[in-house]
Amino acid sequence: MSILLAGGAGYIGSHTAVAMIDAGFDVVIADNLYNSNAAVNDRIEEITGTRPKFYECDIRDKAFVDRIFGENEIETVIHFAGLKAVGESVTMPLQYYRNNLDTTLTLLEEMEKNNVKNFVFSSSATVYGEESPYPYRETMKKGSCSNPYGWTKSMIEQILTDAAAANRDLSVVLLRYFNPIGAHESGLIGEDPMGIPNNLMPFISQVAVGKRDHLTVFGGDYDTPDGTCRRDYLHVMDLAEGHVKAAEYAASHSGTEIFNLGTGTPYSVLEIISAFERNSGVRIPYEIGERRDGDLPEFWADAAKAEQELGWRAKRGIDEMCRDSWNWQSKNPMGYRG
């Protein structure tokens, strides 16, 4: 039986493919390469010795997705496919709602048609909204999202929950990520954003490699120990291993379960810069800029449920996250394109 990684050539999907193969799963990747690169499959094979089966397709294409199910004995779907830039979602809301909701609906309809019962969704801590106190716990009500990207995650969670309530054979696991950073320790795969990075670590890495001249820190006057935002960063390989546990869990349960995947420890922007400098030996020039709309001062996970029920907890610390980010970027200054 195989695991289908929808959107599996992206940052989190590619690392999950490695973790899945290492755990003994047969991996099938479907990706339209909008935010990824076909070279990822070569790198996965170099790391694991196994080449995942790959389909270049838009997950909204029902006929193509039906073909994938017809050609493979898929047992579980892990859904990464979607547009993911917060700022872009504000300027392109219709594209985000159309793409992210349609990929989910297509997968659910084709799973039902092909009698596939297990679904793991790549969700986000953003669904807790601006109202929830931290640390975030799975028992909290979802809050108001500050952008269309976040709302698509919240809406998809509701769609999946309703689908599982209507079909008692359907098993849904909602994984609420916090802030994944880092790369595979080999330096062969890592985060390779198109254009200007939206997230902190790839921007720092690009400054370190000389691709950008400095980092702008959005806000230095928050009510935090050093005035900069604090987030719960976790290593992408810890996150990937969480998907292995989630897939195993989905295969033996029904209904909907929610799990936070985080470390439970927040780090500020300045702490991340310092840790990166310590682990790379490269100075990161930065300036403090204005606050960015929609940024919360701080939040982090309560990840106790994942440890108790999935047997998962983050094992890699901030030094490993920064070291592996630099190892990837220094070996691939232009990402997969050079």
Side-chain angles (χ1 to χ4, degrees):
M1 304 292 280
S2 299
I3 300 280
L4 173 61
L5 306 186
Y11 173 46
I12 298 171
S14 60
H15 289 79
T16 299
V18 168
M20 286 286 173
I21 292 169
D22 286 346
F25 289 90
D26 294 324
V27 171
V28 177
I29 293 175
D31 199 298
N32 66 0
L33 303 179
Y34 179 78
N35 278 316
S36 54
N37 192 294
V40 165
N41 296 294
D42 299 328
R43 306 289 185 93
I44 293 171
E45 182 178 18
E46 189 172 348
I47 293 168
T48 65
T50 300
R51 188 174 187 85
K53 194 169 185 179
F54 176 75
Y55 294 87
E56 183 176 351
C57 77
D58 190 321
I59 299 299
R60 295 174 294 176
D61 185 337
K62 292 186 68 173
F64 206 124
V65 174
D66 191 52
R67 172 188 156 195
I68 293 172
F69 281 112
E71 293 178 357
N72 301 276
E73 293 186 55
I74 303 296
E75 181 179 42
T76 300
V77 171
I78 304 183
H79 181 20
F80 301 104
L83 301 174
K84 60 179 184 176
V86 170
E88 184 182 68
S89 77
V90 175
T91 60
M92 299 168 50
L94 297 184
Q95 291 91 327
Y96 270 69
Y97 287 118
R98 172 66 71 188
N99 184 86
N100 293 3
L101 298 184
D102 275 6
T103 54
T104 305
L105 294 170
T106 296
L107 287 170
L108 282 171
E109 289 168 352
E110 290 303 317
M111 285 174 64
E112 184 175 33
K113 179 179 177 180
N114 290 276
N115 199 34
V116 179
K117 305 295 187 183
N118 307 319
F119 197 112
V120 178
F121 177 54
S122 166
S123 192
S124 169
T126 192
V127 303
Y128 288 108
E130 301 179 6
E131 305 90 346
S132 298
Y134 39 80
Y136 293 159
R137 296 183 176 89
E138 294 90 343
T139 53
M140 292 176 174
K141 290 184 178 180
K142 292 190 294 184
S144 299
C145 299
S146 60
N147 55 78
Y149 162 76
W151 278 117
T152 66
K153 293 294 188 183
S154 184
M155 290 175 180
I156 291 168
E157 283 198 4
Q158 190 62 53
I159 290 169
L160 291 169
T161 300
D162 291 343
N167 180 357
R168 293 186 178 182
D169 291 330
L170 184 62
S171 177
V172 169
V173 177
L174 307 176
L175 296 180
R176 292 178 178 170
Y177 307 165
F178 281 69
N179 292 72
I181 59 176
H184 190 267
E185 62 181 7
S186 66
L188 287 168
I189 59 174
E191 189 167 9
D192 183 24
M194 304 288 188
I196 299 173
N198 292 290
N199 298 321
L200 177 63
M201 184 55 76
F203 209 116
I204 290 175
S205 299
Q206 290 187 9
V207 171
V209 84
K211 192 172 179 180
R212 304 192 183 277
D213 59 9
H214 76 284
L215 169 72
T216 297
V217 177
F218 296 111
D221 59 351
Y222 286 100
D223 186 17
T224 60
D226 64 17
T228 64
C229 292
R230 299 203 300 167
R231 297 289 183 265
D232 188 339
Y233 295 94
L234 76 158
H235 198 291
V236 68
M237 284 307 301
D238 279 329
L239 181 59
E241 290 161 7
H243 288 77
V244 175
K245 295 293 188 181
E248 294 170 346
Y249 181 93
S252 59
H253 290 76
S254 61
T256 301
E257 286 291 342
I258 304 167
F259 296 99
N260 287 336
L261 296 185
T263 67
T265 301
Y267 289 94
S268 73
V269 175
L270 296 185
E271 287 175 319
I272 294 293
I273 294 171
S274 177
F276 188 92
E277 290 179 335
R278 182 172 67 247
N279 285 277
S280 68
V282 179
R283 178 180 168 273
I284 303 300
Y286 68 89
E287 62 181 29
I288 304 294
E290 296 295 321
R291 292 187 182 192
R292 185 170 54 183
D293 289 343
D295 277 349
L296 298 178
E298 55 187 349
F299 61 82
W300 59 90
D302 180 334
K305 182 179 178 182
E307 184 168 5
Q308 293 164 2
E309 298 189 27
L310 296 182
W312 174 92
R313 65 181 179 86
K315 299 178 291 187
R316 300 163 178 87
I318 195 65
D319 288 327
E320 289 95 332
M321 298 179 211
C322 293
R323 179 200 65 202
D324 292 341
S325 292
W326 175 237
N327 186 39
W328 151 255
Q329 194 72 72
S330 60
K331 289 179 176 177
N332 304 271
M334 301 302 293
Y336 293 110
R337 290 170 291 279

